[in-house]
Amino acid sequence: MAFLQKMLQNLSWLSLDVVVGAMAGMYFFMELFHASLQWPAYALLALAVWSIYTLDHLIDVRNLPHTLAPRRVFHKKLQKTLWILLGVATIGGAVGAFAWFGWGKELQLTIILALLIVGSRVMIRKNGPGWMKEFSIAVFYVVGIVWLPLLRAESVDITWVSLLFLPGYMLLAFLNLLMLSFLDRDEDMKSGFFSVASTMPTLKIIQLIRQLSFGLIFLSLGAFILLPSFYRPFSCVVLLMALVHYLTFFQNGLAVHQKRQRMELAFWIPWVLFLL
């Protein structure tokens, strides 16, 4: 059990759990839109997500003289190795994207999207209100995993019903970030990092988390009941993910790192669609 816990901890610190969750999300939308994606799409997404999260962690610890958080100690201790791996991943992703896409419309649109995301993140980080940081990350996360399935889907499969799952998934990602922000707020304040939880009273953010959780749970149940049968497995997946988040966050006796791990692993649930 100790070995398994250590392995999960390392997966979390290296953001590999987030990577697998992002690939599961892409599979969710590939099935939803009846798109066809080969393994290179998942490999490129994995490299992109890992690079973004690792870069963010490395920037966080670069100017810290010391830190109390174990995950930040981990990145600070291994920052030289991680910078090298980040360079390899970035170059490998760029070469792989050109080899797979070619200099065609998909790659050009993807580059434009990436530049828009980077520009928006910089502007929001400097001038945006507190909640916009987490909300923008949630939006960009979902846009990133749905981008290729949408580009590869036939127009007949992109219906208003299927598009309803985009804001639902964004709401789930936003809920995840709010919960993590709350769990990490003491640690972030000690390290001098800004988060939405540091700008809101405890009772207010707890209330917001409850409202978003119940809203997402009831919306998923409503989608299961009201939408055509094809969409029921997707509604169930979102419902399960929301329930795992809610039950984990409000479960007493769990350490912060255990709650973080379970909530990140909740994004692996869409892989069950592979069995259907």
Side-chain angles (χ1 to χ4, degrees), residues 209-230:
I209 287 172
R210 284 188 187 276
Q211 291 172 344
L212 287 176
S213 299
F214 284 129
L216 188 56
I217 289 169
F218 287 127
L219 285 173
S220 301
L221 285 172
F224 179 83
I225 295 170
L226 299 175
L227 296 183
S229 59
F230 169 76

Side-chain angles (χ1 to χ4, degrees), residues 222-241:
F224 179 83
I225 295 170
L226 299 175
L227 296 183
S229 59
F230 169 76
Y231 298 101
R232 287 178 180 169
F234 302 98
S235 303
C236 284
V237 165
V238 177
L239 175 61
L240 285 173
M241 295 166 75

Side-chain angles (χ1 to χ4, degrees), residues 133-151:
K133 175 187 175 184
E134 278 75 13
F135 183 74
S136 64
I137 293 174
V139 171
F140 297 148
Y141 172 82
V142 176
V143 169
I145 63 177
V146 78
W147 183 246
L148 281 179
L150 274 178
L151 288 180

Side-chain angles (χ1 to χ4, degrees), residues 239-254:
L239 175 61
L240 285 173
M241 295 166 75
L243 285 171
V244 170
H245 274 78
Y246 178 80
L247 295 175
T248 299
F249 182 80
F250 288 103
Q251 182 176 346
N252 295 323
L254 278 182

Side-chain angles (χ1 to χ4, degrees), residues 60 84-85 90 92 94-95 132 163 204 247 263:
D60 281 347
I84 293 173
L85 292 175
T90 303
V95 172
M132 275 299 294
L163 291 174
K204 188 173 182 179
L247 295 175
M263 288 190 288

Side-chain angles (χ1 to χ4, degrees), residues 163-221:
L163 291 174
L164 288 176
F165 286 89
L166 270 68
Y169 221 92
M170 288 177 186
L171 182 59
L172 179 65
F174 183 50
L175 177 65
N176 172 270
L177 291 167
L178 280 180
M179 289 178 169
L180 293 179
S181 175
F182 181 84
L183 293 175
D184 295 339
R185 65 176 185 167
D186 291 338
E187 172 189 311
D188 288 340
M189 290 176 67
K190 290 177 182 177
S191 300
F193 292 113
F194 168 81
S195 68
V196 66
S198 64
T199 66
M200 297 176 64
T202 299
L203 291 178
K204 188 173 182 179
I205 193 168
I206 288 291
Q207 183 181 30
L208 178 59
I209 287 172
R210 284 188 187 276
Q211 291 172 344
L212 287 176
S213 299
F214 284 129
L216 188 56
I217 289 169
F218 287 127
L219 285 173
S220 301
L221 285 172

